[in-house]
Amino acid sequence: MRLLLDARATGEGLSPAEAASALTALETAAGRDSVDEAYAREILVQLEREGFCHEQRGRWLA
């Protein structure tokens, strides 16, 4: 969610690939496995279902 809020400040949103890259950096820094784009997309879809974000032209916005 923090990534989406940070991306909102730029007005551009976040692509699933960008989300995967940012999440991988956070997860590996914490000693956990990397995140692939498919998993990042699943997370974004779950957040959308809960009303936290929406997809627009391939970009995810909070």
Short mmCIF file of all heavy atoms in Angstrom, two decimals:
data_model
loop_
_atom_site.label_atom_id
_atom_site.label_comp_id
_atom_site.label_asym_id
_atom_site.label_seq_id
_atom_site.Cartn_x
_atom_site.Cartn_y
_atom_site.Cartn_z
N MET A 1 0.83 -1.18 0.00
CA MET A 1 0.00 0.00 0.00
C MET A 1 0.88 1.25 0.00
O MET A 1 0.58 2.21 -0.69
CB MET A 1 -0.93 -0.07 1.23
CG MET A 1 -2.01 0.95 1.23
SD MET A 1 -3.11 0.70 -0.18
CE MET A 1 -3.68 2.33 -0.40
N ARG A 2 1.95 1.19 0.76
CA ARG A 2 2.86 2.35 0.82
C ARG A 2 3.41 2.68 -0.57
O ARG A 2 3.55 3.84 -0.94
CB ARG A 2 4.00 2.04 1.80
CG ARG A 2 5.07 3.09 1.88
CD ARG A 2 4.73 4.18 2.87
NE ARG A 2 4.17 5.30 2.15
CZ ARG A 2 3.43 6.25 2.70
NH1 ARG A 2 3.14 6.22 3.95
NH2 ARG A 2 2.94 7.24 2.01
N LEU A 3 3.71 1.64 -1.34
CA LEU A 3 4.22 1.85 -2.70
C LEU A 3 3.20 2.58 -3.56
O LEU A 3 3.54 3.47 -4.34
CB LEU A 3 4.58 0.51 -3.35
CG LEU A 3 5.69 -0.30 -2.71
CD1 LEU A 3 5.78 -1.66 -3.37
CD2 LEU A 3 7.00 0.44 -2.79
N LEU A 4 1.93 2.21 -3.42
CA LEU A 4 0.88 2.87 -4.19
C LEU A 4 0.72 4.32 -3.78
O LEU A 4 0.53 5.19 -4.62
CB LEU A 4 -0.44 2.12 -4.02
CG LEU A 4 -0.54 0.78 -4.72
CD1 LEU A 4 -1.74 0.00 -4.21
CD2 LEU A 4 -0.62 0.98 -6.22
N LEU A 5 0.80 4.58 -2.49
CA LEU A 5 0.69 5.96 -2.02
C LEU A 5 1.86 6.80 -2.51
O LEU A 5 1.68 7.95 -2.91
CB LEU A 5 0.58 5.99 -0.50
CG LEU A 5 -0.70 5.39 0.07
CD1 LEU A 5 -0.62 5.34 1.60
CD2 LEU A 5 -1.92 6.18 -0.38
N ASP A 6 3.05 6.23 -2.48
CA ASP A 6 4.22 6.95 -2.99
C ASP A 6 4.08 7.22 -4.49
O ASP A 6 4.41 8.31 -4.96
CB ASP A 6 5.51 6.18 -2.71
CG ASP A 6 5.86 6.13 -1.24
OD1 ASP A 6 5.31 6.94 -0.45
OD2 ASP A 6 6.71 5.29 -0.87
N ALA A 7 3.57 6.24 -5.24
CA ALA A 7 3.39 6.40 -6.67
C ALA A 7 2.31 7.43 -6.99
O ALA A 7 2.37 8.11 -8.01
CB ALA A 7 3.06 5.06 -7.32
N ARG A 8 1.34 7.55 -6.10
CA ARG A 8 0.27 8.54 -6.30
C ARG A 8 0.83 9.95 -6.32
O ARG A 8 0.36 10.81 -7.06
CB ARG A 8 -0.79 8.41 -5.21
CG ARG A 8 -1.94 9.38 -5.41
CD ARG A 8 -3.07 9.13 -4.48
NE ARG A 8 -2.69 9.32 -3.10
CZ ARG A 8 -3.52 9.19 -2.09
NH1 ARG A 8 -4.78 8.84 -2.31
NH2 ARG A 8 -3.12 9.38 -0.86
N ALA A 9 1.87 10.19 -5.55
CA ALA A 9 2.48 11.51 -5.50
C ALA A 9 3.04 11.93 -6.86
O ALA A 9 3.06 13.12 -7.17
CB ALA A 9 3.59 11.54 -4.44
N THR A 10 3.44 10.96 -7.67
CA THR A 10 3.96 11.29 -9.00
C THR A 10 2.83 11.45 -10.01
O THR A 10 3.06 11.99 -11.09
CB THR A 10 4.91 10.19 -9.51
OG1 THR A 10 4.15 9.00 -9.76
CG2 THR A 10 6.04 9.91 -8.54
N GLY A 11 1.66 10.94 -9.67
CA GLY A 11 0.52 10.99 -10.57
C GLY A 11 0.55 9.94 -11.67
O GLY A 11 -0.33 9.89 -12.51
N GLU A 12 1.55 9.09 -11.66
CA GLU A 12 1.71 8.09 -12.72
C GLU A 12 1.22 6.71 -12.33
O GLU A 12 1.05 5.85 -13.18
CB GLU A 12 3.17 8.01 -13.14
CG GLU A 12 3.68 9.29 -13.75
CD GLU A 12 5.14 9.19 -14.16
OE1 GLU A 12 5.70 8.08 -14.14
OE2 GLU A 12 5.71 10.23 -14.48
N GLY A 13 1.04 6.44 -11.06
CA GLY A 13 0.66 5.11 -10.64
C GLY A 13 1.83 4.15 -10.71
O GLY A 13 2.99 4.56 -10.82
N LEU A 14 1.52 2.88 -10.65
CA LEU A 14 2.54 1.84 -10.55
C LEU A 14 2.17 0.69 -11.46
O LEU A 14 1.03 0.23 -11.46
CB LEU A 14 2.56 1.37 -9.09
CG LEU A 14 3.70 0.58 -8.54
CD1 LEU A 14 4.98 1.42 -8.53
CD2 LEU A 14 3.40 0.14 -7.11
N SER A 15 3.11 0.20 -12.26
CA SER A 15 2.85 -0.98 -13.07
C SER A 15 3.12 -2.22 -12.22
O SER A 15 3.85 -2.15 -11.22
CB SER A 15 3.76 -1.00 -14.30
OG SER A 15 5.09 -1.31 -13.92
N PRO A 16 2.57 -3.38 -12.60
CA PRO A 16 2.87 -4.60 -11.86
C PRO A 16 4.38 -4.91 -11.84
O PRO A 16 4.90 -5.38 -10.83
CB PRO A 16 2.09 -5.68 -12.61
CG PRO A 16 0.94 -4.94 -13.19
CD PRO A 16 1.50 -3.60 -13.58
N ALA A 17 5.07 -4.62 -12.93
CA ALA A 17 6.52 -4.86 -12.96
C ALA A 17 7.24 -3.95 -11.98
O ALA A 17 8.16 -4.39 -11.27
CB ALA A 17 7.06 -4.64 -14.37
N GLU A 18 6.83 -2.70 -11.90
CA GLU A 18 7.43 -1.77 -10.93
C GLU A 18 7.11 -2.20 -9.50
O GLU A 18 7.97 -2.11 -8.62
CB GLU A 18 6.94 -0.35 -11.18
CG GLU A 18 7.43 0.23 -12.48
CD GLU A 18 6.68 1.47 -12.90
OE1 GLU A 18 5.52 1.68 -12.49
OE2 GLU A 18 7.28 2.24 -13.69
N ALA A 19 5.89 -2.66 -9.29
CA ALA A 19 5.52 -3.14 -7.96
C ALA A 19 6.36 -4.35 -7.57
O ALA A 19 6.86 -4.43 -6.45
CB ALA A 19 4.03 -3.51 -7.93
N ALA A 20 6.55 -5.28 -8.51
CA ALA A 20 7.36 -6.46 -8.23
C ALA A 20 8.79 -6.08 -7.90
O ALA A 20 9.39 -6.61 -6.95
CB ALA A 20 7.33 -7.41 -9.42
N SER A 21 9.34 -5.15 -8.64
CA SER A 21 10.71 -4.70 -8.39
C SER A 21 10.86 -4.06 -7.02
O SER A 21 11.78 -4.37 -6.26
CB SER A 21 11.13 -3.72 -9.49
OG SER A 21 12.42 -3.23 -9.23
N ALA A 22 9.93 -3.17 -6.68
CA ALA A 22 9.98 -2.50 -5.39
C ALA A 22 9.76 -3.48 -4.24
O ALA A 22 10.44 -3.41 -3.21
CB ALA A 22 8.95 -1.37 -5.34
N LEU A 23 8.80 -4.39 -4.41
CA LEU A 23 8.54 -5.39 -3.37
C LEU A 23 9.72 -6.34 -3.20
O LEU A 23 10.06 -6.72 -2.08
CB LEU A 23 7.28 -6.17 -3.69
CG LEU A 23 5.97 -5.41 -3.50
CD1 LEU A 23 4.81 -6.21 -4.08
CD2 LEU A 23 5.73 -5.08 -2.05
N THR A 24 10.37 -6.71 -4.30
CA THR A 24 11.54 -7.56 -4.22
C THR A 24 12.65 -6.90 -3.41
O THR A 24 13.29 -7.54 -2.58
CB THR A 24 12.04 -7.94 -5.63
OG1 THR A 24 11.08 -8.84 -6.20
CG2 THR A 24 13.39 -8.62 -5.60
N ALA A 25 12.86 -5.62 -3.64
CA ALA A 25 13.88 -4.90 -2.87
C ALA A 25 13.58 -4.94 -1.38
O ALA A 25 14.48 -5.19 -0.56
CB ALA A 25 13.98 -3.46 -3.36
N LEU A 26 12.32 -4.72 -1.02
CA LEU A 26 11.93 -4.74 0.39
C LEU A 26 12.05 -6.15 0.99
O LEU A 26 12.55 -6.32 2.10
CB LEU A 26 10.49 -4.24 0.55
CG LEU A 26 10.25 -2.77 0.23
CD1 LEU A 26 8.75 -2.48 0.18
CD2 LEU A 26 10.93 -1.88 1.25
N GLU A 27 11.56 -7.13 0.24
CA GLU A 27 11.55 -8.50 0.74
C GLU A 27 12.96 -9.07 0.87
O GLU A 27 13.28 -9.72 1.88
CB GLU A 27 10.69 -9.40 -0.16
CG GLU A 27 9.21 -9.07 -0.12
CD GLU A 27 8.61 -9.29 1.25
OE1 GLU A 27 8.68 -10.43 1.76
OE2 GLU A 27 8.08 -8.32 1.82
N THR A 28 13.80 -8.87 -0.12
CA THR A 28 15.16 -9.42 -0.04
C THR A 28 15.98 -8.71 1.03
O THR A 28 16.82 -9.34 1.67
CB THR A 28 15.88 -9.38 -1.40
OG1 THR A 28 15.90 -8.04 -1.88
CG2 THR A 28 15.19 -10.28 -2.41
N ALA A 29 15.73 -7.43 1.25
CA ALA A 29 16.41 -6.71 2.33
C ALA A 29 16.04 -7.29 3.70
O ALA A 29 16.84 -7.25 4.64
CB ALA A 29 16.07 -5.22 2.29
N ALA A 30 14.84 -7.86 3.77
CA ALA A 30 14.38 -8.48 5.02
C ALA A 30 14.71 -9.97 5.07
O ALA A 30 14.29 -10.67 5.99
CB ALA A 30 12.87 -8.28 5.16
N GLY A 31 15.46 -10.47 4.07
CA GLY A 31 15.88 -11.87 4.07
C GLY A 31 14.84 -12.83 3.52
O GLY A 31 14.94 -14.03 3.74
N ARG A 32 13.85 -12.31 2.80
CA ARG A 32 12.80 -13.16 2.24
C ARG A 32 13.00 -13.29 0.73
O ARG A 32 13.82 -12.62 0.13
CB ARG A 32 11.43 -12.58 2.58
CG ARG A 32 11.14 -12.61 4.08
CD ARG A 32 9.73 -12.15 4.39
NE ARG A 32 9.56 -10.72 4.22
CZ ARG A 32 9.62 -9.82 5.19
NH1 ARG A 32 9.88 -10.19 6.43
NH2 ARG A 32 9.42 -8.53 4.94
N ASP A 33 12.21 -14.17 0.12
CA ASP A 33 12.29 -14.42 -1.33
C ASP A 33 11.83 -13.21 -2.13
O ASP A 33 11.05 -12.38 -1.65
CB ASP A 33 11.42 -15.62 -1.71
CG ASP A 33 11.97 -16.93 -1.16
OD1 ASP A 33 13.19 -17.01 -0.91
OD2 ASP A 33 11.18 -17.86 -1.00
N SER A 34 12.27 -13.17 -3.39
CA SER A 34 11.86 -12.10 -4.29
C SER A 34 10.39 -12.28 -4.69
O SER A 34 9.80 -13.33 -4.50
CB SER A 34 12.75 -12.06 -5.52
OG SER A 34 12.63 -13.25 -6.24
N VAL A 35 9.82 -11.23 -5.26
CA VAL A 35 8.43 -11.21 -5.69
C VAL A 35 8.39 -11.10 -7.21
O VAL A 35 9.01 -10.20 -7.77
CB VAL A 35 7.70 -10.00 -5.05
CG1 VAL A 35 6.28 -9.89 -5.56
CG2 VAL A 35 7.73 -10.10 -3.53
N ASP A 36 7.68 -12.02 -7.87
CA ASP A 36 7.59 -11.91 -9.32
C ASP A 36 6.38 -11.06 -9.71
O ASP A 36 5.53 -10.72 -8.88
CB ASP A 36 7.56 -13.28 -9.99
CG ASP A 36 6.34 -14.12 -9.67
OD1 ASP A 36 5.32 -13.57 -9.18
OD2 ASP A 36 6.38 -15.33 -9.92
N GLU A 37 6.31 -10.72 -10.98
CA GLU A 37 5.27 -9.81 -11.45
C GLU A 37 3.86 -10.40 -11.27
O GLU A 37 2.92 -9.68 -10.93
CB GLU A 37 5.50 -9.46 -12.92
CG GLU A 37 4.58 -8.39 -13.43
CD GLU A 37 4.91 -7.94 -14.84
OE1 GLU A 37 6.05 -8.09 -15.29
OE2 GLU A 37 3.99 -7.42 -15.49
N ALA A 38 3.72 -11.70 -11.46
CA ALA A 38 2.41 -12.34 -11.30
C ALA A 38 1.92 -12.22 -9.86
O ALA A 38 0.73 -11.93 -9.63
CB ALA A 38 2.48 -13.81 -11.73
N TYR A 39 2.81 -12.43 -8.91
CA TYR A 39 2.42 -12.31 -7.50
C TYR A 39 2.10 -10.86 -7.16
O TYR A 39 1.13 -10.59 -6.44
CB TYR A 39 3.51 -12.88 -6.60
CG TYR A 39 3.10 -12.92 -5.15
CD1 TYR A 39 2.02 -13.70 -4.73
CD2 TYR A 39 3.77 -12.16 -4.19
CE1 TYR A 39 1.63 -13.74 -3.41
CE2 TYR A 39 3.39 -12.19 -2.86
CZ TYR A 39 2.32 -12.97 -2.48
OH TYR A 39 1.94 -13.00 -1.17
N ALA A 40 2.89 -9.92 -7.68
CA ALA A 40 2.61 -8.50 -7.44
C ALA A 40 1.23 -8.14 -7.99
O ALA A 40 0.47 -7.41 -7.34
CB ALA A 40 3.69 -7.63 -8.07
N ARG A 41 0.90 -8.66 -9.17
CA ARG A 41 -0.42 -8.40 -9.75
C ARG A 41 -1.53 -8.97 -8.87
O ARG A 41 -2.56 -8.34 -8.67
CB ARG A 41 -0.50 -8.99 -11.16
CG ARG A 41 -1.77 -8.63 -11.90
CD ARG A 41 -1.82 -9.28 -13.29
NE ARG A 41 -0.64 -9.01 -14.08
CZ ARG A 41 -0.46 -7.92 -14.83
NH1 ARG A 41 -1.38 -6.99 -14.86
NH2 ARG A 41 0.64 -7.76 -15.54
N GLU A 42 -1.31 -10.16 -8.31
CA GLU A 42 -2.30 -10.76 -7.40
C GLU A 42 -2.54 -9.86 -6.19
O GLU A 42 -3.68 -9.66 -5.76
CB GLU A 42 -1.83 -12.13 -6.92
CG GLU A 42 -1.90 -13.21 -7.95
CD GLU A 42 -1.36 -14.53 -7.41
OE1 GLU A 42 -1.53 -14.80 -6.20
OE2 GLU A 42 -0.76 -15.28 -8.19
N ILE A 43 -1.47 -9.32 -5.64
CA ILE A 43 -1.58 -8.41 -4.50
C ILE A 43 -2.39 -7.18 -4.89
O ILE A 43 -3.28 -6.74 -4.15
CB ILE A 43 -0.19 -8.02 -3.97
CG1 ILE A 43 0.52 -9.24 -3.37
CG2 ILE A 43 -0.30 -6.89 -2.94
CD1 ILE A 43 1.99 -9.01 -3.08
N LEU A 44 -2.07 -6.60 -6.05
CA LEU A 44 -2.79 -5.41 -6.51
C LEU A 44 -4.27 -5.70 -6.72
O LEU A 44 -5.14 -4.89 -6.34
CB LEU A 44 -2.15 -4.88 -7.80
CG LEU A 44 -0.76 -4.28 -7.63
CD1 LEU A 44 -0.08 -4.12 -8.99
CD2 LEU A 44 -0.81 -2.97 -6.87
N VAL A 45 -4.60 -6.86 -7.28
CA VAL A 45 -6.00 -7.23 -7.49
C VAL A 45 -6.71 -7.37 -6.15
O VAL A 45 -7.86 -6.93 -5.99
CB VAL A 45 -6.11 -8.51 -8.35
CG1 VAL A 45 -7.51 -9.08 -8.33
CG2 VAL A 45 -5.65 -8.23 -9.76
N GLN A 46 -6.05 -7.98 -5.17
CA GLN A 46 -6.65 -8.10 -3.84
C GLN A 46 -6.89 -6.73 -3.21
O GLN A 46 -7.95 -6.48 -2.62
CB GLN A 46 -5.76 -8.93 -2.92
CG GLN A 46 -5.75 -10.40 -3.28
CD GLN A 46 -4.74 -11.19 -2.45
OE1 GLN A 46 -4.06 -10.65 -1.59
NE2 GLN A 46 -4.64 -12.46 -2.74
N LEU A 47 -5.92 -5.83 -3.35
CA LEU A 47 -6.09 -4.47 -2.83
C LEU A 47 -7.23 -3.74 -3.54
O LEU A 47 -7.97 -2.98 -2.91
CB LEU A 47 -4.79 -3.69 -2.95
CG LEU A 47 -3.66 -4.11 -2.01
CD1 LEU A 47 -2.36 -3.42 -2.40
CD2 LEU A 47 -4.03 -3.80 -0.57
N GLU A 48 -7.38 -4.02 -4.84
CA GLU A 48 -8.48 -3.40 -5.59
C GLU A 48 -9.82 -3.89 -5.06
O GLU A 48 -10.76 -3.11 -4.86
CB GLU A 48 -8.35 -3.71 -7.07
CG GLU A 48 -9.45 -3.08 -7.92
CD GLU A 48 -9.29 -3.40 -9.39
OE1 GLU A 48 -8.93 -4.54 -9.74
OE2 GLU A 48 -9.56 -2.49 -10.19
N ARG A 49 -9.94 -5.19 -4.81
CA ARG A 49 -11.18 -5.77 -4.27
C ARG A 49 -11.56 -5.13 -2.94
O ARG A 49 -12.74 -5.02 -2.62
CB ARG A 49 -11.03 -7.27 -4.08
CG ARG A 49 -11.16 -8.05 -5.34
CD ARG A 49 -11.23 -9.54 -5.08
NE ARG A 49 -10.74 -10.25 -6.24
CZ ARG A 49 -9.80 -11.17 -6.22
NH1 ARG A 49 -9.26 -11.55 -5.09
NH2 ARG A 49 -9.41 -11.74 -7.33
N GLU A 50 -10.55 -4.75 -2.17
CA GLU A 50 -10.79 -4.16 -0.86
C GLU A 50 -10.95 -2.63 -0.93
O GLU A 50 -11.11 -1.98 0.08
CB GLU A 50 -9.66 -4.54 0.09
CG GLU A 50 -9.62 -6.04 0.36
CD GLU A 50 -8.43 -6.47 1.18
OE1 GLU A 50 -7.80 -5.62 1.83
OE2 GLU A 50 -8.14 -7.69 1.18
N GLY A 51 -10.88 -2.09 -2.15
CA GLY A 51 -11.12 -0.67 -2.34
C GLY A 51 -9.93 0.24 -2.12
O GLY A 51 -10.09 1.46 -2.02
N PHE A 52 -8.74 -0.32 -2.06
CA PHE A 52 -7.55 0.48 -1.79
C PHE A 52 -6.91 1.07 -3.04
O PHE A 52 -6.13 2.02 -2.96
CB PHE A 52 -6.49 -0.33 -1.04
CG PHE A 52 -6.89 -0.65 0.37
CD1 PHE A 52 -7.24 -1.94 0.73
CD2 PHE A 52 -6.93 0.33 1.34
CE1 PHE A 52 -7.60 -2.25 2.01
CE2 PHE A 52 -7.30 0.04 2.64
CZ PHE A 52 -7.64 -1.25 2.98
N CYS A 53 -7.18 0.48 -4.21
CA CYS A 53 -6.56 0.97 -5.43
C CYS A 53 -7.42 0.56 -6.62
O CYS A 53 -8.40 -0.18 -6.47
CB CYS A 53 -5.15 0.43 -5.59
SG CYS A 53 -5.03 -1.36 -5.80
N HIS A 54 -7.05 1.04 -7.80
CA HIS A 54 -7.73 0.64 -9.03
C HIS A 54 -6.72 0.68 -10.18
O HIS A 54 -5.72 1.38 -10.11
CB HIS A 54 -8.93 1.53 -9.33
CG HIS A 54 -8.57 2.95 -9.64
ND1 HIS A 54 -8.28 3.87 -8.65
CD2 HIS A 54 -8.44 3.59 -10.81
CE1 HIS A 54 -7.99 5.02 -9.22
NE2 HIS A 54 -8.07 4.89 -10.53
N GLU A 55 -7.05 -0.08 -11.21
CA GLU A 55 -6.18 -0.16 -12.39
C GLU A 55 -6.73 0.75 -13.47
O GLU A 55 -7.93 0.82 -13.70
CB GLU A 55 -6.13 -1.61 -12.89
CG GLU A 55 -5.14 -1.85 -13.99
CD GLU A 55 -5.73 -1.68 -15.37
OE1 GLU A 55 -6.95 -1.85 -15.53
OE2 GLU A 55 -4.97 -1.37 -16.29
N GLN A 56 -5.84 1.48 -14.09
CA GLN A 56 -6.22 2.37 -15.17
C GLN A 56 -5.12 2.35 -16.23
O GLN A 56 -3.99 2.76 -15.95
CB GLN A 56 -6.42 3.79 -14.63
CG GLN A 56 -6.90 4.78 -15.65
CD GLN A 56 -7.15 6.14 -15.02
OE1 GLN A 56 -6.84 6.39 -13.84
NE2 GLN A 56 -7.70 7.03 -15.78
N ARG A 57 -5.45 1.81 -17.42
CA ARG A 57 -4.49 1.73 -18.52
C ARG A 57 -3.18 1.05 -18.13
O ARG A 57 -2.10 1.51 -18.47
CB ARG A 57 -4.23 3.11 -19.11
CG ARG A 57 -5.43 3.71 -19.80
CD ARG A 57 -5.11 5.08 -20.29
NE ARG A 57 -4.85 5.90 -19.13
CZ ARG A 57 -5.23 7.15 -18.99
NH1 ARG A 57 -5.84 7.76 -19.94
NH2 ARG A 57 -4.98 7.82 -17.88
N GLY A 58 -3.29 -0.05 -17.38
CA GLY A 58 -2.11 -0.81 -17.00
C GLY A 58 -1.31 -0.26 -15.83
O GLY A 58 -0.29 -0.82 -15.46
N ARG A 59 -1.80 0.82 -15.25
CA ARG A 59 -1.14 1.43 -14.09
C ARG A 59 -2.09 1.33 -12.90
O ARG A 59 -3.31 1.44 -13.04
CB ARG A 59 -0.82 2.91 -14.34
CG ARG A 59 -0.08 3.21 -15.61
CD ARG A 59 1.34 2.76 -15.63
NE ARG A 59 2.15 3.52 -14.69
CZ ARG A 59 3.42 3.29 -14.49
NH1 ARG A 59 4.03 2.32 -15.15
NH2 ARG A 59 4.12 3.98 -13.63
N TRP A 60 -1.54 1.09 -11.73
CA TRP A 60 -2.33 0.96 -10.52
C TRP A 60 -2.21 2.22 -9.70
O TRP A 60 -1.11 2.71 -9.46
CB TRP A 60 -1.87 -0.28 -9.74
CG TRP A 60 -2.25 -1.52 -10.46
CD1 TRP A 60 -1.59 -2.13 -11.48
CD2 TRP A 60 -3.44 -2.29 -10.26
NE1 TRP A 60 -2.29 -3.23 -11.92
CE2 TRP A 60 -3.41 -3.34 -11.17
CE3 TRP A 60 -4.51 -2.19 -9.38
CZ2 TRP A 60 -4.42 -4.29 -11.24
CZ3 TRP A 60 -5.50 -3.12 -9.44
CH2 TRP A 60 -5.46 -4.18 -10.36
N LEU A 61 -3.36 2.72 -9.28
CA LEU A 61 -3.42 3.99 -8.56
C LEU A 61 -4.16 3.81 -7.23
O LEU A 61 -5.14 3.08 -7.16
CB LEU A 61 -4.16 5.03 -9.40
CG LEU A 61 -3.62 5.23 -10.81
CD1 LEU A 61 -4.69 5.72 -11.74
CD2 LEU A 61 -2.46 6.18 -10.78
N ALA A 62 -3.67 4.49 -6.21
CA ALA A 62 -4.35 4.44 -4.90
C ALA A 62 -5.39 5.52 -4.85
O ALA A 62 -5.36 6.50 -5.53
CB ALA A 62 -3.33 4.65 -3.78
#
